[in-house]
Structure formats: C-alpha cells, structure tokens
Amino acid sequence: MGSVILRRVLIAIPVVFGITVLLFVTLRVLPGDPTEALLAEVPVTTEVRQQLTEQLGLNQPLLVQYWNFIWHALQGDLGRSFTTGQGVTDMILSQLPATIRLTIAGVILTAVFGIGFGVLAAAFRDTWVDSTIRIFSLLGTGMPVFWTGSLLLLVFSFQFHIFPSTGNSGLSHLVLPAIALGFLSAGLLTRLVRNSMVELFGESFVLALHAKGLSPRVVTVRHVLRNALIPVVTVIGLQVGGLLSGAVISEIVFSRQGLGRLLVTGINGQDFPVVQGTVLVIALIYVGVNIVVDVSYAYIDPRVRTAIAQS
C-alpha cells in the first residue's frame, strides 16, 4: 500500500505544478492591472503608479515573479494581499475551516442520501418506491447549486422562518447551504448506486448466494452493496472537487465566510496573491482527496491491488 501512496503522490506533483503555471500565466495575460484597481479613485502621478508597481513586484519578469511565488509557497508563505496587506496564508487559514465544514456536510449528505436512496431503489426496483426515488434523483441532477440554494432560502428562510438565511455561527446556519451543495451530488450517486446494484443482482455469484440459502438482506448488504461501493467511492471522491467549487457558489448565495468568498473578493480586486493562494490551496485539497480515493479504491478492490503489485 505504501508504494501505491508514493506513486500517486509522485503523479500529483506535476499536476499541481501545471495548475500553478496555468493560473499564474492566466492572471498576468488577462486584461486588467492591479494598480488600476488599487488607485481607481485616487488621482496619482505616473511616478507614484510606477512606484506602486515596483512595490508589488509586478515590474519583474514573469519567470522571476513565478519563481518567487513557488519558492515562498514551498515555505508556507503565499505573499501579502495587495488590497489589505495581510498575509494570504493567514487569510486562507481563517476562512478554510468554514469551507471545510460546509464541504464535509455536503459530502455526508451526499453519501447518506445517495447510498441510502440508491439501495432503497434497487431493493424495490420497478415499484412505486423506485420510480419516486428516480424522479427525485433526476430532479437533483438537473438543479444547480445557486437555484437550489435560492429555492431553499425562499421556502425555509423567508416564508417559514425555520432556518437563518445568512451567517456562519451555528449548525442551523449550515443546514440549507449543505443541502443546496449536496442535492446535486446525491442525485448522481443515487442513480449510480441503484444501477450498479440492479446490475449486480443478475450476476451469477449473487444467484449462487441465494441458492446457498443466504437471506436477501445478507446478500444485498454484505455482498451486492460491498461490490457496488467500489465505483461509488471513486465518484464520491471526484464529487469532493465539485463540492468544493459548489461551496464557492453556496457561500455567496448564503453570505457565508469561506474560501469561495475570499476567492471572489480577490478576483474582483485583481488581488493576485489572494487568487493564487486560494486556488493553490483548493487544488492541493482536490489532489489530496483524489490520492485518498485511489488508495481506498486499491484497498476495497483486491484486483486493483494485484494489478498495481504486478505493474
């Protein structure tokens, strides 16, 4: 298993490197000048504007700027915000817990409802239970986060006043953003689990288990569900990346603190260090989750372990 982890980490290094290069070049190529954003309402001379450009390090060649960014990032220093002067690392660390809480809540909702409804639909396949769950899963896959979030706000906050519409202070503030975030992924997962289990029900090894006298519950939970979870683990891991990006939208809709709002603020102010640092942290989380998924996949499926050992 150690070789699996090492191999995945080595593969991830060029991926992260490529993301940083693409991000860095994109920010510099796109129209707009951070000094224009900082001095938009302040009449200054050309000399003052030039001094600010030098102070921010934007007059240096791109390769020098990129090397400084990578070198300091490797030491945990993501620079200072152009607009506030605060350390970007501290800004991200102060916002990261809120985004992680929201993403974890979305993942839990996705896993619980996606697997639960998928198993229920497969167990009662071709009945009204199956049809009802399939309709809701189809609705979930077609509803983007901002639409679901707006609908939840309208019904549960503004109409019935059950949950607060904004804020980060407690569990009640987390419910609606997490539902908005996890609804789409739960719909996808429900369909995947349902279809995987229905397909497995027709496999010869399942028929053999029934012939041995095992109860339908034991066959479904212990054998069919276990095999159906192999692709599900991969999908949940991939969905974490989608949930992280969805958290950006959910944080804006519900006016929550988090990396999403920090990123949007940085983009609006052309605050390069904030944008670079935030995207880098999100990319590292995404890559880290995928490594965990790959290792889990190898752990669950012995065929994968064998293939890796033989390669």
Side-chain angles (χ1 to χ4, degrees):
M1 195 60 69
S3 62
V4 176
I5 297 173
L6 179 62
R7 185 173 301 186
R8 294 297 182 264
V9 170
L10 292 176
I11 293 174
I13 291 175
V15 174
V16 175
F17 175 74
I19 291 172
T20 59
V21 171
L22 183 63
L23 171 66
F24 197 86
V25 172
T26 302
L27 283 175
R28 268 66 181 179
V29 169
L30 288 176
D33 184 351
T35 59
E36 294 287 347
L38 289 172
L39 303 173
E41 298 179 358
V42 182
V44 296
T45 62
T46 305
E47 290 75 16
V48 172
R49 191 179 299 278
Q50 182 63 30
Q51 288 177 359
L52 180 60
T53 302
E54 294 175 2
Q55 184 181 341
L56 299 178
L58 298 174
N59 62 320
Q60 297 175 331
L62 280 183
L63 282 177
V64 175
Q65 292 184 46
Y66 179 73
W67 170 252
N68 289 334
F69 166 61
I70 291 296
W71 177 247
H72 289 101
L74 289 173
Q75 301 173 61
D77 180 9
L78 295 173
R80 292 195 167 275
S81 166
F82 287 168
T83 55
T84 66
Q86 289 179 279
V88 174
T89 304
D90 294 335
M91 294 172 70
I92 290 174
L93 289 177
S94 68
Q95 301 295 320
L96 187 59
T99 298
I100 289 179
R101 279 196 297 271
L102 178 56
T103 304
I104 289 176
V107 171
I108 291 173
L109 284 176
T110 297
V112 170
F113 287 101
I115 295 175
F117 284 131
V119 171
L120 202 59
F124 294 93
R125 58 189 179 279
D126 300 327
T127 65
W128 67 269
V129 176
D130 183 23
S131 300
T132 304
I133 292 175
R134 290 170 70 180
I135 290 173
F136 275 101
S137 67
L138 190 61
L139 283 174
T141 56
M143 294 170 64
V145 174
F146 74 90
W147 198 89
T148 308
S150 301
L151 186 64
L152 292 172
L153 276 177
L154 184 66
V155 175
F156 294 103
S157 293
F158 302 143
Q159 184 66 33
F160 296 108
H161 307 286
I162 298 175
F163 296 104
S165 59
T166 61
N168 292 53
S169 58
L171 185 62
S172 60
H173 292 84
L174 190 63
V175 175
L176 295 185
I179 293 175
L181 188 61
F183 192 49
L184 187 149
S185 299
L188 291 171
L189 200 63
T190 298
R191 296 175 64 183
L192 175 65
V193 172
R194 189 261 178 201
N195 293 339
S196 297
M197 291 190 67
V198 168
E199 187 176 336
L200 286 169
F201 278 135
E203 294 288 334
S204 56
F205 80 93
V206 175
L207 299 176
L209 291 171
H210 283 297
K212 287 182 178 179
L214 294 179
S215 68
R217 184 179 62 82
V218 172
V219 173
T220 300
V221 175
R222 188 176 298 176
H223 298 280
V224 176
L225 180 59
R226 179 183 173 86
N227 284 280
L229 285 180
I230 294 173
V232 169
V233 170
T234 304
V235 171
I236 289 178
L238 295 175
Q239 287 297 316
V240 171
L243 290 171
L244 267 175
S245 59
V248 174
I249 302 171
S250 190
E251 285 167 2
I252 294 171
V253 172
F254 292 93
S255 297
R256 291 176 55 84
Q257 298 296 318
L259 291 182
R261 290 194 66 186
L262 184 63
L263 179 61
V264 171
T265 303
I267 293 173
N268 289 335
Q270 295 182 322
D271 199 335
F272 289 174
V274 171
V275 178
Q276 291 167 179
T278 307
V279 173
L280 177 60
V281 169
I282 291 175
L284 288 174
I285 294 174
Y286 186 79
V287 169
V289 169
N290 275 276
I291 291 174
V292 172
V293 170
D294 287 343
V295 174
S296 303
Y297 193 79
Y299 177 77
I300 293 173
D301 192 347
R303 294 170 298 180
V304 176
R305 286 201 303 271
T306 304
I308 292 173
Q310 292 175 347
S311 63

